[in-house]
Amino acid sequence: MQKRKYNEEVLTKGDLADLKGLPKKVNLGEQKRRISAQVEAGKAHIEGDESLGKLCVTALRTSGEFKRATQGFHTYPARLHPEAARLLLEALPGKSLGDPFCGGGTLLVEALIQGREVHGSDLNPVATLVATARTALLSSQQLNELEALFDSIYRTACASLDNKKRIFLPSSILKYKDWYKTQCFEELAALFDATRSVESELKPLCQAVFSSLVVKYSLRASDTSNKVVYIARKKGAVVDAYADKAREYLTQLRELQTLVPPGTNPADITLSDARFLRFHNVDTIITSPPYPGTYDYLPLQQLRQAWFDLDMNEDSEIGSRRSFKSKRNAYEGWLKDTDDWMASAANALAIGGKIAIVVGEGIQAGRSLKVAKPTMNAAQRAGLKFVCSASVDRKDPATNQKKIEYILVFEKSSETPKNILPKHDLNESRGLGAKNSDIREIRTFSSREHRAEDSEIRRMRDDHQDERRMRDNQRDERRMRDDHRDDRRMRDNQRDDRCMRDDQRDDRRMRDNQRDDRRMRDNQRDDRRMREDQRDDRRMRDDQRDDRRMRDDHRDDRRMRDNQRDDRRMRENQRDDRRSDRRSRDDHRPETMQAKKTRRFGEAYRERHEKTEDARDSREERPRRRFGDAFRERHQENDTHAGKFLKTTHGKRGVFDPKNADKKEK
């Protein structure tokens, strides 16, 4: 159900009605196949030069895969087999070759390999693009430059896809977006954007490589069928295929350079109508004009027309299938077009040159459209002499009916024969009956006895004129209605384009708003994170500062205890020094009674004081182990105050002082 709904959307979207390109059927699981082999040939028939006819029959019977140089590059519908082109070139020698319907350039490539001067033209711009790419003769430096261009396009497309770059595409391309899967369309758009930015004389070759992928990676079954097929594609399949096709094309170009003789001029390919050729005085013309009612060459390229914005002059196409379906006089138009392009080809052919025409019958409404006799008559009217005719029978795979394919060879002699044809042949070839000639003969024999018949003839002629006028008026009305319908369609398309542009603008705005919202939320989140980081930094710095302060306090405590210990040691040392001095003096003088009393009192106090200091040291150790640094600081402060008190108290009690002792003795 989902696939059916998608197909209905494809049917309703896109202006494909004029191109007859709407998909009529959806085939699920069907695979695209490229069948290059022709239908097997049947019975052969030869007229004229038998030896040349046998070579032509051999050319008609060639089939199968054939890849040489650039012949396998880029598909093109209804191409001439390369081996058949080579055989025809060998059968019709000459220095120069012209092909009014060059198509994909099969004949031109084979002529270059034989070292001929090559001229080609076609009304289809896609055909001239493919033919130009196939016949490109490049130097080693140009090949290296082309390889660098391919690599640059590939890298640019990959970067655009990775960065999700927004690519502007014309409405002509977006109209056919439903003919592609989303991933394939995005990759083709990236390659298209990278290709159109190239500024080089080799840009058409890059466009040709891109053109070879346009139909292959769409939903179309092939270049000649608008049936829809669905094939699974991996991500990156299109850009990888572009790189592979570019490498393959470079290999084919290098092979072509080795096969073409040195000094061969590049091919001259022009976008022009075969009825107005731009090349002149060529030795040989080999061409294959469109078979009547078989293909619509220009509408088949609607996808490439959209991507490259090509101007397809569809009204000038010769023998298109749509004209035979829509016009009653399409066969007469094809006969007139055959006369015109044959006259132009005869003017472009040098005297003594030969022209070979590969043409086949068409089938319309179950009946064959004859081509051999009208082509011979057109050649005779153009002043060409018949040389030979070779034909083979084939079965049309679509209708299973027999068709005849011809190779007609003519020669331009020095003397142009007079254009004399039997009246019945001329009228039959143009699709006219014998009534007009009968009417003219009856009119020439009008007399008094036949006035009644003449009046009847005049009335019949007037009736015919009235009928023609009525048909002309009806045709004019149909054209006017068609013009009105086309105008409505154009206005509808313009309205749809405006709506689509508005939708795209709204989508862009919505995406921009969403992006701005995301950015704002990201900025807010970043701000919160930054503030949290700053708060964490402040906390960390505060912790570090507290750690430093604690370490500084510990260090100061240790220093203070060390200083106190050093002070005690210094006082002890001073006391010991004073005692030793006093003892030394006492040893050298007689001891008085007062000195003895003083010495005894001093020794008793010293012993008592030493016991007091030992007890104090033991009291100092116990709280240090028991309560820690806080109690130790408080205890040190108490010791300090106690020391001051002892000094004052001991001084009052009369602690031994050598200086005072001396004074008292005196």
Side-chain angles (χ1 to χ4, degrees), residues 506-557:
D506 294 336
D507 291 338
R508 286 196 301 271
R509 288 178 178 175
M510 182 179 66
R511 287 194 298 270
D512 293 339
N513 293 332
Q514 291 176 352
R515 188 182 62 248
D516 294 337
D517 292 338
R518 286 195 302 272
R519 287 179 178 175
M520 183 178 66
R521 289 194 298 272
D522 293 339
N523 292 332
Q524 292 175 353
R525 187 180 63 249
D526 294 338
D527 291 339
R528 287 196 302 272
R529 289 179 178 175
M530 184 178 65
R531 288 194 297 272
E532 290 174 358
D533 293 337
Q534 291 176 353
R535 185 178 66 248
D536 294 337
D537 291 339
R538 286 196 301 271
R539 288 178 179 176
M540 185 178 67
R541 287 195 298 272
D542 293 339
D543 293 338
Q544 292 175 353
R545 185 180 64 250
D546 294 337
D547 292 339
R548 286 195 302 271
R549 288 178 178 176
M550 185 176 67
R551 287 195 299 271
D552 293 339
D553 292 339
H554 290 325
R555 188 180 61 250
D556 294 338
D557 292 340

Side-chain angles (χ1 to χ4, degrees), residues 290-329:
Y291 298 0
T294 303
Y295 282 116
D296 289 326
Y297 286 94
L298 295 180
L300 284 175
Q301 306 294 340
Q302 72 256 36
L303 293 180
R304 296 186 176 97
Q305 175 188 3
W307 281 101
F308 294 111
D309 194 18
L310 301 176
D311 184 13
M312 297 287 191
N313 191 6
E314 299 181 12
D315 296 335
S316 301
E317 188 176 1
I318 298 175
S320 63
R321 180 169 57 184
R322 64 186 182 280
S323 64
F324 278 86
K325 288 184 177 180
S326 61
K327 298 179 182 178
R328 287 187 176 182
N329 59 347

Side-chain angles (χ1 to χ4, degrees), residues 491 493-503:
R491 289 194 297 272
N493 292 333
Q494 291 176 352
R495 185 182 66 251
D496 294 338
D497 291 338
R498 287 195 300 271
C499 293
M500 183 176 63
R501 287 195 298 270
D502 294 337
D503 293 337

Side-chain angles (χ1 to χ4, degrees), residues 372-566:
K373 187 66 175 178
T375 305
M376 290 181 181
N377 294 337
Q380 187 175 357
R381 284 189 289 272
L384 301 176
K385 184 176 68 174
F386 175 76
V387 177
C388 76
S389 170
S391 63
V392 293
D393 298 339
R394 300 186 189 275
K395 276 192 176 182
D396 185 14
T399 61
N400 203 23
Q401 294 184 7
K402 186 183 77 171
K403 293 171 56 176
I404 303 176
E405 193 171 11
Y406 299 89
I407 294 182
L408 306 175
V409 182
F410 304 94
E411 184 179 5
K412 184 176 181 179
S413 59
S414 57
E415 296 181 0
T416 304
K418 296 181 179 180
N419 187 12
I420 301 175
L421 283 175
K423 288 186 178 181
H424 67 277
D425 289 342
L426 180 61
N427 293 330
E428 184 180 358
S429 66
R430 291 185 175 274
L432 301 175
K435 293 183 180 179
N436 293 337
S437 60
D438 294 340
I439 292 173
R440 285 194 293 271
E441 291 175 2
I442 292 173
R443 291 185 60 188
T444 55
F445 292 104
S446 62
S447 61
R448 185 177 298 176
E449 292 83 5
H450 299 90
R451 285 178 182 175
E453 297 180 1
D454 291 340
S455 62
E456 184 67 24
I457 292 170
R458 284 195 296 272
R459 283 196 300 272
M460 184 172 63
R461 184 179 59 195
D462 294 338
D463 293 338
H464 287 311
Q465 289 178 354
D466 293 338
E467 290 177 359
R468 283 197 301 272
R469 288 174 182 172
M470 183 177 65
R471 286 194 298 271
D472 292 340
N473 292 332
Q474 292 176 352
R475 186 181 65 249
D476 294 337
E477 291 176 358
R478 285 195 302 272
R479 288 179 178 175
M480 184 175 64
R481 287 196 298 271
D482 293 339
D483 293 337
H484 289 318
R485 186 180 65 249
D486 294 337
D487 291 338
R488 286 195 300 273
R489 286 179 179 174
M490 184 180 65
R491 289 194 297 272
D492 293 339
N493 292 333
Q494 291 176 352
R495 185 182 66 251
D496 294 338
D497 291 338
R498 287 195 300 271
C499 293
M500 183 176 63
R501 287 195 298 270
D502 294 337
D503 293 337
Q504 290 177 350
R505 185 181 64 249
D506 294 336
D507 291 338
R508 286 196 301 271
R509 288 178 178 175
M510 182 179 66
R511 287 194 298 270
D512 293 339
N513 293 332
Q514 291 176 352
R515 188 182 62 248
D516 294 337
D517 292 338
R518 286 195 302 272
R519 287 179 178 175
M520 183 178 66
R521 289 194 298 272
D522 293 339
N523 292 332
Q524 292 175 353
R525 187 180 63 249
D526 294 338
D527 291 339
R528 287 196 302 272
R529 289 179 178 175
M530 184 178 65
R531 288 194 297 272
E532 290 174 358
D533 293 337
Q534 291 176 353
R535 185 178 66 248
D536 294 337
D537 291 339
R538 286 196 301 271
R539 288 178 179 176
M540 185 178 67
R541 287 195 298 272
D542 293 339
D543 293 338
Q544 292 175 353
R545 185 180 64 250
D546 294 337
D547 292 339
R548 286 195 302 271
R549 288 178 178 176
M550 185 176 67
R551 287 195 299 271
D552 293 339
D553 292 339
H554 290 325
R555 188 180 61 250
D556 294 338
D557 292 340
R558 286 194 300 271
R559 287 179 179 176
M560 183 178 66
R561 288 193 300 272
D562 293 339
N563 293 331
Q564 291 175 357
R565 187 179 62 251
D566 294 337

